[in-house]
Amino acid sequence: MSHQPNLSTNWKKKIHEVIYGTHTPAGKLFDIILLIVIVYSIIIVMLESVPWIDKNYHTFLNISEWIVTVLFTLEYILRIISIRKPRTYVFSFFGIVDLLSTLPKYLSLLFVGSQYLTAFRALRLLRVFRILKLARFVGASNNLARALSASKTKVLVFVFFIIVISVLLGTVMYIVEGPENGFNSIPHSVYWTIVTLTTVGYGDISPQTALGQFLASLIMIIGYGIIAVPTGIVSAEYTSEMNRRNAGTDNGRACRTCGTEVLRKDADFCRICGSNLNED
Amino acid sequence: MSHQPNLSTNWKKKIHEVIYGTHTPAGKLFDIILLIVIVYSIIIVMLESVPWIDKNYHTFLNISEWIVTVLFTLEYILRIISIRKPRTYVFSFFGIVDLLSTLPKYLSLLFVGSQYLTAFRALRLLRVFRILKLARFVGASNNLARALSASKTKVLVFVFFIIVISVLLGTVMYIVEGPENGFNSIPHSVYWTIVTLTTVGYGDISPQTALGQFLASLIMIIGYGIIAVPTGIVSAEYTSEMNRRNAGTDNGRACRTCGTEVLRKDADFCRICGSNLNED
Amino acid sequence: MSHQPNLSTNWKKKIHEVIYGTHTPAGKLFDIILLIVIVYSIIIVMLESVPWIDKNYHTFLNISEWIVTVLFTLEYILRIISIRKPRTYVFSFFGIVDLLSTLPKYLSLLFVGSQYLTAFRALRLLRVFRILKLARFVGASNNLARALSASKTKVLVFVFFIIVISVLLGTVMYIVEGPENGFNSIPHSVYWTIVTLTTVGYGDISPQTALGQFLASLIMIIGYGIIAVPTGIVSAEYTSEMNRRNAGTDNGRACRTCGTEVLRKDADFCRICGSNLNED
Amino acid sequence: MSHQPNLSTNWKKKIHEVIYGTHTPAGKLFDIILLIVIVYSIIIVMLESVPWIDKNYHTFLNISEWIVTVLFTLEYILRIISIRKPRTYVFSFFGIVDLLSTLPKYLSLLFVGSQYLTAFRALRLLRVFRILKLARFVGASNNLARALSASKTKVLVFVFFIIVISVLLGTVMYIVEGPENGFNSIPHSVYWTIVTLTTVGYGDISPQTALGQFLASLIMIIGYGIIAVPTGIVSAEYTSEMNRRNAGTDNGRACRTCGTEVLRKDADFCRICGSNLNED
């Protein structure tokens, strides 16, 4: 692919500009059309699964599906040939998502049912962030992402505890209530415990014995108490992330002698080299 | 409307004072009566929809409805003629709400069912904030409004993620459970996913297969985890908003002698160098 | 009651010490016995309402009830005669609670059903805080109480908004779903909206139409979003309350010249009178 | 056990290294195998409770169970003989858990049903934290543990209030709805109140009368409001805990020249007077 004539390179460059770029009018138009087609294709897949709609409009939906699939396939091929290192794109998150958006429809010719996997197209919607590329949006996401990433370990530790607690309480409830009250097996009972701890509470299974209801009350109050933990973690991390930027410290000022940043607003001397910050 | 005699202007001024003003005794009385009539009219609309009440008291409710509607219409007309620029009022939030409070009743003569739209009168209740106009109430709302407005973008980003996740997980659950277990279609399945993610959990549909229950457990724990995110955002924004104003510091003022910033609002002397802050 | 002999006064003083005091061994013993009797009496009332228990142990439960009631009546009378200003006690929160703990049982002789009101005895349990009187408990409550009190106005504004939203959305759902899908009337529909907004989700009523389910999804996401608001308010108020005491300010230090409190830890000069804080 | 020959001591030392140590390759391998066996044994117990799996694979599951139980028993014995003070281990948290992991299976020979208690093996999973011993994990848990421990008293006060409120509101609902609407007794009604307050909402019982639904709405809004309290407490405590350590300030250190406190941990010079903090 390296011995291409100049003409072809120019042609590729243009396509690259339209598909990957968001600055030229053509690039913007492409992105907006892309978004509309993605939303349209998701709606089509959804409607296809509704029996009475599929029955009445099957041909229309099927043709729509194929048109969208062909368009996405073309886009995928153009994306690959218009960049220098196609490998990077193909194995990137969006590269895989783009492949998963077209493949299932072709597979549906071979396997019944696989066309529903086209709903993975919803992941393509995440492109909207790249397209809108509004400073504030990206800022908001970055801030959030940093706080979430800082909370990650703690939230994992927490989820691990929840699973251990659910297995234990689920088993206890199985022993107390038993299959005759809908707690058919320990896994089923663990499932019920998670439904209760997370305050979802379907009510498809619910304790019938007095002891079971008493234990369930305890589980609920525990769940109510521990719902506070991940929230507290994220709040605290996010507050701390914001404080680090907004309050107490003056990020715009740096020591002229040693270059130390993040100085407190009331500092007169650099805390690292001791030089006077107010001198010029 | 500009060639009105002085008398008429005076008359209008008086009405304006009563309807829009909250300082004169007449204005206060008007506002209190208005609030009572609004609450009364909402109760009437509600009771009208209860079959056995409507059956027994239909005439009374209907007459009440018409009296309230006529009163609201009169008020609406008076509001328009008593101000200089009626256009501003008519197209303001409260102007539209006031129109929507009267119109549906008249439309009910033409279209059956539209009288229920009169419940939009509930929006008129928001006037209570204007009427009470207690400094602390407005302060509370302002503070809150600023924090919510600062959180807006982040919460929107978050809601967008929830929708993408719901479409994906909803489709997976549709494939796993299928119409035979109540997951009739992808939109229905997405609806179920939102019911579960938000921990509402009606239980009208609930997973029946082992794999479905396992996935549902994952969705619940995810939902439990992400409930923390908007809460964390609002908490952090609100804390930061409060710190900025209430923590008693005045960030805009700095000591002229030593340059110390973050001074308390009630400070007369710099806490670092002891010089008088009020001297010039 | 003012011409009592000295002997009687002493006798009253002793009773006062035992009933109201918590420092003497007799006072402590009294409080512990009181707590046990309160818990016992609540359990009795609860068990009485369980049909099969009441059937088998009716006499025992009834006698227990009467013994407890007589004991509480005696205590109530002793509380009144042993203090100087009985009026203060009788109309205090605990005075009313204590009366409500005995009265319903006597009324049950006249009116069937009123004996269940004795469950108001649960309020007597709040005495535990007074009895335990552990510094840390009171501290915890005080801190909490102050934060909750600071959040009060904002939470009220918020609850008001929820009610307005519920009335509006409830009416819309009534129009969309109608009585044929379980939304029997507007008040019933408003009830459903509150059940959904608060993420309780009983599932006794749930939307059946596609549009209804779409709207319900919106309501849930709104509910999910606004659950963040009161939590954020309380978090922020509580953080600020803690900051005010723990960080930045030194509550233990006061200016020796003018007595100003809540000085910043790094302050060298009083911010009010300008005198040197480090001088002695 | 004190007159053992040197050989035996060496042998014990080696076992101790493998079982308790995590630094040698053998110790790591042991821990990983242990974790796999624990997870395997929990899955076995769970599957055993599913009727159709137990029916088809009973012999396999039972043999697996016995193999795991014998392995755990061996491990338990080795743990006891390989340390100097077995008493400390036997009565430690993990010592009791390890015993509870083996005992129920032996008891199942005598008592039917007790084999399910082997699910307490789930508690053994908590060993994972000791094994992984990743600094960040332990750090995360420590931070969290300290914040939770600081919140403990407040959360207990709060849980106590919830119980008092539930007893009161449960009784009121019992009087309003009565046994004919599913509120069979006061304890049952209190159970329903907890289900509602914690926003679980099974829907197995739900108010049927208008007054009951109105009261339930109030309970839900109260529940919605008070869910904010424990979350707020944990958030605030955790934020404060983080500020104390991470915000980069060292509260224990003060400038020797001017007495400035709240110095950043990396500060070499006082930010107020510029003197060297490391000089003596």
Side-chain angles (χ1 to χ4, degrees):
Chain A
M1 251 150 143
S2 54
H3 49 83
Q4 284 149 359
N6 216 16
L7 191 80
S8 154
T9 316
N10 269 343
W11 174 76
K12 280 185 184 176
K13 207 177 157 186
K14 201 119 201 200
I15 287 176
H16 183 270
E17 218 175 87
V18 173
I19 293 184
Y20 287 93
T22 53
H23 297 291
T24 60
K28 273 182 191 161
L29 189 70
F30 174 83
D31 284 336
I32 289 163
I33 291 172
L34 184 61
L35 267 188
I36 293 167
V37 176
I38 292 170
V39 171
Y40 177 75
S41 77
I42 292 167
I43 292 169
I44 290 294
V45 174
M46 284 190 161
L47 295 182
E48 223 175 346
S49 75
V50 184
W52 69 267
I53 294 179
D54 188 50
K55 209 173 161 184
N56 293 319
Y57 305 96
H58 183 74
T59 324
F60 170 74
L61 292 170
N62 200 27
I63 291 170
S64 285
E65 259 290 286
W66 277 110
I67 291 171
V68 169
T69 305
V70 168
L71 284 176
F72 282 177
T73 312
L74 274 173
E75 185 215 344
Y76 185 67
I77 293 168
L78 287 176
R79 271 182 195 276
I80 287 177
I81 58 175
S82 72
I83 47 163
R84 284 206 206 113
K85 295 184 181 173
R87 197 170 288 231
T88 335
Y89 164 68
V90 170
F91 294 104
S92 72
F93 174 71
F94 278 120
I96 293 163
V97 166
D98 289 353
L99 185 65
L100 286 175
S101 302
T102 57
L103 221 58
K105 191 64 192 170
Y106 296 113
L107 289 176
S108 72
L109 293 177
L110 303 171
F111 312 102
V112 175
S114 61
Q115 78 272 17
Y116 294 126
L117 294 169
T118 43
F120 279 99
R121 278 171 191 172
L123 279 175
R124 296 204 76 189
L125 280 175
L126 294 174
R127 261 181 204 284
V128 79
F129 291 108
R130 222 186 54 94
I131 293 167
L132 295 176
K133 239 180 202 160
L134 291 164
R136 56 191 196 115
F137 261 108
V138 174
S141 303
N142 277 1
N143 243 353
L144 202 59
R146 212 166 304 125
L148 289 181
S149 151
S151 324
K152 213 175 46 187
T153 323
K154 283 147 208 164
V155 170
L156 270 181
V157 169
F158 176 74
V159 165
F160 192 81
F161 268 113
I162 284 194
I163 291 169
V164 171
I165 289 174
S166 299
V167 170
L168 281 175
L169 295 177
T171 308
V172 171
M173 286 305 285
Y174 173 71
I175 297 167
V176 169
E177 289 280 327
E180 64 276 18
N181 292 319
F183 291 75
N184 300 320
S185 63
I186 293 180
H188 201 204
S189 198
V190 170
Y191 161 73
W192 173 85
T193 310
I194 292 172
V195 168
T196 301
L197 261 183
T198 55
T199 77
V200 172
Y202 287 130
D204 50 347
I205 330 164
S206 62
Q208 302 300 323
T209 66
L211 182 57
Q213 291 179 347
F214 177 73
L215 286 172
S217 300
L218 285 186
I219 293 172
M220 280 170 231
I221 290 174
I222 291 171
Y224 204 60
I226 59 178
I227 209 169
V229 177
T231 309
I233 293 169
V234 174
S235 292
E237 294 289 346
Y238 197 66
T239 307
S240 131
E241 184 66 35
M242 278 178 70
N243 281 348
R244 219 169 294 150
R245 342 197 95 210
N246 299 343
T249 52
D250 182 350
N251 293 304
R253 199 168 59 145
C255 174
R256 294 206 171 192
T257 312
C258 68
T260 304
E261 285 181 60
V262 196
L263 297 166
R264 280 180 68 101
K265 277 178 183 164
D266 61 349
D268 291 327
F269 296 91
C270 172
R271 71 178 185 279
I272 302 299
C273 69
S275 61
N276 194 327
L277 293 167
N278 303 320
E279 263 175 13
D280 210 43
Chain B
M1 251 149 142
S2 55
H3 49 84
Q4 285 149 359
N6 215 16
L7 190 80
S8 156
T9 316
N10 269 343
W11 175 77
K12 280 186 185 175
K13 208 178 157 188
K14 200 116 200 203
I15 287 177
H16 183 271
E17 219 176 86
V18 172
I19 294 185
Y20 287 93
T22 54
H23 297 290
T24 60
K28 273 182 190 160
L29 190 69
F30 175 82
D31 285 336
I32 289 163
I33 292 171
L34 184 61
L35 266 187
I36 293 167
V37 176
I38 293 171
V39 170
Y40 177 76
S41 77
I42 293 168
I43 292 170
I44 290 293
V45 173
M46 285 190 160
L47 293 182
E48 222 176 346
S49 75
V50 184
W52 69 266
I53 294 179
D54 188 49
K55 210 173 161 185
N56 292 318
Y57 305 97
H58 183 75
T59 325
F60 169 74
L61 292 170
N62 201 26
I63 291 169
S64 284
E65 258 292 285
W66 276 111
I67 291 171
V68 170
T69 305
V70 169
L71 285 176
F72 282 177
T73 312
L74 274 173
E75 185 214 345
Y76 185 67
I77 293 166
L78 287 175
R79 272 182 194 277
I80 286 176
I81 58 173
S82 72
I83 46 165
R84 286 205 206 112
K85 296 185 179 172
R87 196 170 290 233
T88 335
Y89 164 69
V90 170
F91 294 104
S92 72
F93 173 71
F94 278 119
I96 293 164
V97 166
D98 290 352
L99 185 65
L100 287 174
S101 302
T102 56
L103 222 57
K105 191 66 192 169
Y106 296 113
L107 290 176
S108 72
L109 293 177
L110 304 170
F111 311 102
V112 174
S114 60
Q115 80 271 15
Y116 294 126
L117 294 168
T118 43
F120 279 99
R121 279 169 190 173
L123 278 174
R124 297 203 77 187
L125 278 175
L126 294 174
R127 261 181 204 283
V128 79
F129 290 108
R130 222 186 54 94
I131 292 166
L132 294 176
K133 239 181 204 160
L134 291 164
R136 55 190 197 115
F137 260 108
V138 174
S141 303
N142 277 2
N143 242 353
L144 203 58
R146 211 165 304 122
L148 289 180
S149 152
S151 323
K152 211 175 48 187
T153 323
K154 283 148 208 165
V155 170
L156 270 182
V157 168
F158 177 75
V159 165
F160 192 80
F161 268 113
I162 283 195
I163 291 168
V164 171
I165 288 175
S166 298
V167 170
L168 281 175
L169 294 177
T171 309
V172 171
M173 286 305 284
Y174 173 70
I175 296 168
V176 168
E177 290 279 327
E180 63 275 17
N181 291 319
F183 292 75
N184 301 320
S185 64
I186 294 181
H188 201 204
S189 198
V190 170
Y191 160 73
W192 173 86
T193 310
I194 292 172
V195 168
T196 302
L197 260 183
T198 55
T199 78
V200 171
Y202 287 129
D204 50 347
I205 331 164
S206 62
Q208 301 301 324
T209 66
L211 182 57
Q213 291 179 347
F214 177 74
L215 286 172
S217 299
L218 285 185
I219 293 172
M220 281 169 230
I221 291 174
I222 291 171
Y224 204 61
I226 58 178
I227 209 169
V229 177
T231 308
I233 293 169
V234 174
S235 291
E237 294 288 347
Y238 196 66
T239 307
S240 130
E241 185 64 36
M242 276 179 71
N243 282 347
R244 220 168 295 149
R245 21 181 64 211
N246 297 348
T249 51
D250 182 351
N251 292 305
R253 197 167 60 145
C255 173
R256 293 206 172 193
T257 312
C258 68
T260 303
E261 284 181 60
V262 195
L263 298 165
R264 283 181 67 100
K265 277 177 183 161
D266 60 350
D268 291 326
F269 294 91
C270 172
R271 71 178 186 280
I272 301 299
C273 70
S275 60
N276 194 327
L277 293 167
N278 304 317
E279 262 175 12
D280 211 44
Chain C
M1 252 152 143
S2 53
H3 49 85
Q4 285 148 0
N6 214 15
L7 190 81
S8 156
T9 315
N10 268 342
W11 176 77
K12 279 186 184 177
K13 207 177 157 189
K14 201 114 199 207
I15 287 176
H16 184 270
E17 217 175 271
V18 172
I19 294 185
Y20 287 93
T22 54
H23 297 291
T24 60
K28 274 183 189 160
L29 190 69
F30 174 82
D31 284 337
I32 290 163
I33 292 172
L34 183 61
L35 266 188
I36 293 168
V37 175
I38 292 170
V39 171
Y40 177 77
S41 76
I42 292 167
I43 292 170
I44 290 293
V45 174
M46 285 190 158
L47 294 182
E48 223 175 345
S49 75
V50 184
W52 69 267
I53 293 178
D54 188 49
K55 208 174 162 185
N56 292 317
Y57 306 96
H58 183 75
T59 325
F60 169 74
L61 291 169
N62 200 26
I63 291 169
S64 285
E65 259 291 286
W66 277 110
I67 292 171
V68 169
T69 306
V70 168
L71 285 175
F72 282 177
T73 312
L74 274 173
E75 184 214 346
Y76 185 68
I77 293 167
L78 287 175
R79 272 182 195 276
I80 287 176
I81 56 175
S82 73
I83 47 166
R84 283 204 208 114
K85 296 185 179 173
R87 197 171 289 232
T88 335
Y89 164 70
V90 169
F91 295 103
S92 73
F93 174 70
F94 279 119
I96 293 163
V97 166
D98 289 352
L99 186 65
L100 287 175
S101 302
T102 56
L103 222 58
K105 190 65 192 169
Y106 296 113
L107 290 176
S108 72
L109 293 176
L110 303 171
F111 311 102
V112 175
S114 61
Q115 80 271 16
Y116 294 125
L117 293 169
T118 43
F120 279 100
R121 278 171 190 171
L123 277 174
R124 297 204 76 187
L125 279 174
L126 294 175
R127 261 182 204 283
V128 79
F129 292 108
R130 223 187 54 95
I131 292 167
L132 295 176
K133 241 179 203 163
L134 292 164
R136 54 189 199 118
F137 261 106
V138 174
S141 303
N142 276 2
N143 242 354
L144 203 60
R146 213 167 302 124
L148 290 180
S149 152
S151 324
K152 210 176 46 187
T153 324
K154 284 148 207 164
V155 170
L156 270 181
V157 169
F158 176 75
V159 164
F160 191 80
F161 268 113
I162 283 195
I163 291 168
V164 171
I165 289 175
S166 299
V167 170
L168 281 175
L169 294 177
T171 309
V172 171
M173 285 305 286
Y174 174 71
I175 297 167
V176 168
E177 290 280 328
E180 63 275 18
N181 292 319
F183 292 74
N184 300 320
S185 64
I186 293 181
H188 201 206
S189 199
V190 169
Y191 161 73
W192 173 87
T193 311
I194 292 173
V195 168
T196 302
L197 260 183
T198 55
T199 78
V200 171
Y202 287 130
D204 50 348
I205 331 164
S206 61
Q208 303 299 324
T209 66
L211 182 58
Q213 291 179 347
F214 177 74
L215 286 172
S217 300
L218 285 185
I219 293 172
M220 281 169 230
I221 290 173
I222 291 171
Y224 204 61
I226 58 178
I227 208 170
V229 177
T231 308
I233 293 169
V234 174
S235 290
E237 293 290 345
Y238 196 67
T239 306
S240 131
E241 185 63 38
M242 278 178 70
N243 282 347
R244 218 169 296 149
R245 345 196 91 211
N246 299 342
T249 52
D250 182 350
N251 292 305
R253 199 167 57 146
C255 174
R256 295 204 171 194
T257 312
C258 69
T260 304
E261 285 181 60
V262 196
L263 297 166
R264 280 180 68 102
K265 277 180 181 159
D266 61 349
D268 291 327
F269 296 91
C270 173
R271 69 178 188 281
I272 301 300
C273 69
S275 61
N276 194 326
L277 292 168
N278 303 319
E279 263 176 11
D280 214 44
Chain D
M1 250 151 145
S2 55
H3 49 83
Q4 286 146 358
N6 215 16
L7 190 82
S8 155
T9 316
N10 268 344
W11 175 76
K12 279 184 183 175
K13 207 177 157 188
K14 201 119 202 199
I15 288 176
H16 183 270
E17 217 175 271
V18 172
I19 294 184
Y20 287 93
T22 54
H23 297 290
T24 60
K28 274 183 190 159
L29 190 70
F30 175 82
D31 284 337
I32 289 164
I33 291 172
L34 184 61
L35 267 188
I36 293 168
V37 176
I38 292 170
V39 171
Y40 176 77
S41 77
I42 292 167
I43 292 170
I44 290 294
V45 174
M46 286 189 159
L47 294 182
E48 223 174 345
S49 75
V50 183
W52 68 267
I53 294 180
D54 188 49
K55 209 175 162 184
N56 292 318
Y57 305 96
H58 183 74
T59 324
F60 170 75
L61 291 170
N62 199 26
I63 291 170
S64 284
E65 259 292 286
W66 276 110
I67 291 171
V68 169
T69 305
V70 169
L71 284 175
F72 282 177
T73 312
L74 275 173
E75 185 214 344
Y76 185 68
I77 293 167
L78 287 176
R79 271 183 195 276
I80 287 176
I81 57 173
S82 73
I83 47 165
R84 284 202 209 116
K85 295 184 180 174
R87 196 170 290 233
T88 335
Y89 164 69
V90 170
F91 295 104
S92 72
F93 174 70
F94 278 121
I96 293 163
V97 166
D98 290 352
L99 186 64
L100 286 175
S101 302
T102 56
L103 222 58
K105 190 64 190 170
Y106 295 114
L107 290 176
S108 72
L109 294 176
L110 304 170
F111 311 103
V112 175
S114 61
Q115 79 271 17
Y116 295 125
L117 294 169
T118 44
F120 280 98
R121 279 171 190 169
L123 278 174
R124 297 204 75 188
L125 280 174
L126 293 175
R127 262 181 203 284
V128 79
F129 291 108
R130 222 186 56 93
I131 293 167
L132 295 176
K133 240 180 203 163
L134 292 165
R136 55 190 198 119
F137 260 107
V138 174
S141 303
N142 277 2
N143 242 354
L144 202 60
R146 212 166 302 123
L148 290 180
S149 151
S151 324
K152 210 174 48 187
T153 323
K154 284 148 208 164
V155 170
L156 271 181
V157 169
F158 177 73
V159 165
F160 192 80
F161 268 113
I162 283 195
I163 291 169
V164 171
I165 289 174
S166 299
V167 170
L168 282 175
L169 295 177
T171 309
V172 172
M173 286 305 286
Y174 173 71
I175 296 167
V176 169
E177 289 280 328
E180 63 275 19
N181 291 319
F183 292 75
N184 300 320
S185 63
I186 294 180
H188 201 206
S189 199
V190 170
Y191 160 73
W192 173 85
T193 311
I194 293 173
V195 168
T196 302
L197 261 184
T198 55
T199 78
V200 171
Y202 287 128
D204 50 347
I205 330 163
S206 62
Q208 303 300 324
T209 65
L211 182 57
Q213 291 179 346
F214 177 73
L215 285 172
S217 300
L218 285 185
I219 293 173
M220 281 169 231
I221 290 173
I222 291 171
Y224 205 61
I226 58 177
I227 208 169
V229 177
T231 308
I233 292 169
V234 174
S235 291
E237 293 290 347
Y238 196 68
T239 306
S240 131
E241 184 64 37
M242 276 177 73
N243 282 347
R244 219 169 296 148
R245 22 182 62 211
N246 298 347
T249 52
D250 182 349
N251 292 305
R253 199 166 58 146
C255 173
R256 294 204 172 195
T257 313
C258 69
T260 304
E261 285 181 59
V262 195
L263 297 166
R264 283 181 67 100
K265 277 178 183 160
D266 61 350
D268 291 326
F269 294 91
C270 173
R271 70 177 189 281
I272 301 299
C273 69
S275 61
N276 193 327
L277 293 168
N278 304 318
E279 263 174 11
D280 213 44

